[in-house]
Amino acid sequence: LAVPFFIFAGELIGRGGIAVRLVRWFVAMFGAIRGSLAYVTVASCELFGAMSGSSPATVAAIGRLMYPALRERGYDEKFSLGLVTSTGAIATVIPPSILMIIYGASAEQSVAKLFIGGIVPGLLIGAVMAIYIAWYASRATLQVTEPFQWRTFGRATVDATWALGVPLIILGGIYTGIFTPTEAAGIAAVYGILAGALIYGDIGPRDIWQIAVNSALVTAQLMIIVAASGVFSWILTISGVPAFLTDTIQALDAPRWGVLLAVNILLIIVGCLIDPTSATLVLTPLLLPLVKTVGVDPIHFGIVLTVNLSMGMFTPPFGLNIFMAQSLFGASTSRLYPGLVPFIGAQLVALALITYIPELSLWLTRLI
């Protein structure tokens, strides 16, 4: 139930005026910093991802707002397309992540712990992308936004107060134990209706109905994938594929870092070819026992798997974010792919850090 509720909440947040106010708040915060609009894009995706948990929804909501603004301010097309397409994938890692919910169910792990474990890795990915943005901004000729002004920032903060309450309610309620992830998803949906319809007045009953219909269609598509993945997993199991995979990696007689490297390479390849939901459902029962034998914590592995498959959202040829960007901006693959290359490189750096420094994923789970 958490999945359809978070999908519905993400649609409400994207169309109910909350996303617009979040972007305005970040623009007012960053002021005239060189490359500020690119930083705003990353920060907005981080915060929007903390509300929706859906990567394509983040690309749709933030991309619609930021891509035209980036182009107007002098950012070239390749960079702008690559930025909005790749940063939407942060929503797959930053909690509440739909992919983590699916992994938690498949691996029988605590979803709340996975959410907590995903906070630092999600922020780290954004930080690595920000480093690349700083390098790009130092070399490009860009128009800057208005200088920081306390008055403007104060007005933007007041306007965004209800929008900023969404992640606080969702994550705060889960981590303090007030409600479960499923209950948090339902509360987020109700909050999205109240904020969009009653407080901001950006949506009406007809809009809410249409959002519900769209969310139901997306949920149906996702659940069909889940059902088909179960059948596919069963076929693979009786065909001996799990045993072959496990035996192949074990035959390498590699240390833990080698096993993790082999698993990462496998997940990156799979992520390029199969949607993340199917990959999670099929590969979790195969790989989790293997990594456990070399001492990898299941929560840490869940974060590593999620980060790997989040890259699949914007890597050719079947990245869902790529299809979303093509639909939104009318961009051909020949225009999209070159801009994605540096962001794929940045995420690979973040993936290496997350893989080989387990404490990035685990230290917060030990504090709570």
Side-chain angles (χ1 to χ4, degrees), residues 205-272:
R206 186 173 297 177
D207 300 308
I208 295 170
W209 171 253
Q210 189 58 54
I211 290 170
V213 171
N214 293 340
S215 300
L217 290 172
V218 173
T219 302
Q221 293 168 355
L222 185 61
M223 292 308 172
I224 289 172
I225 291 171
V226 170
S229 299
V231 178
F232 186 46
S233 180
W234 174 76
I235 292 172
L236 289 177
T237 302
I238 65 172
S239 300
V241 173
F244 172 76
L245 265 178
T246 304
D247 292 344
T248 300
I249 297 178
Q250 286 180 334
L252 299 174
D253 196 24
R256 181 165 68 175
W257 71 266
V259 171
L260 285 171
L261 178 60
V263 167
N264 275 336
I265 293 171
L266 173 65
L267 288 172
I268 289 171
I269 294 171
V270 169
C272 292

Side-chain angles (χ1 to χ4, degrees), residues 258-297:
V259 171
L260 285 171
L261 178 60
V263 167
N264 275 336
I265 293 171
L266 173 65
L267 288 172
I268 289 171
I269 294 171
V270 169
C272 292
L273 302 172
I274 303 175
D275 71 275
T277 302
S278 299
T280 301
L281 290 166
V282 171
L283 293 178
T284 296
L286 312 185
L287 296 178
L288 185 58
L290 173 64
V291 297
K292 276 184 174 180
T293 61
V294 293
V296 176
D297 187 281

Side-chain angles (χ1 to χ4, degrees), residues 153-171:
F153 179 67
R155 284 200 301 264
T157 302
V158 170
D159 191 39
T161 298
W162 288 97
L164 294 169
V166 180
L168 293 177
I169 289 174
I170 295 173
L171 301 180

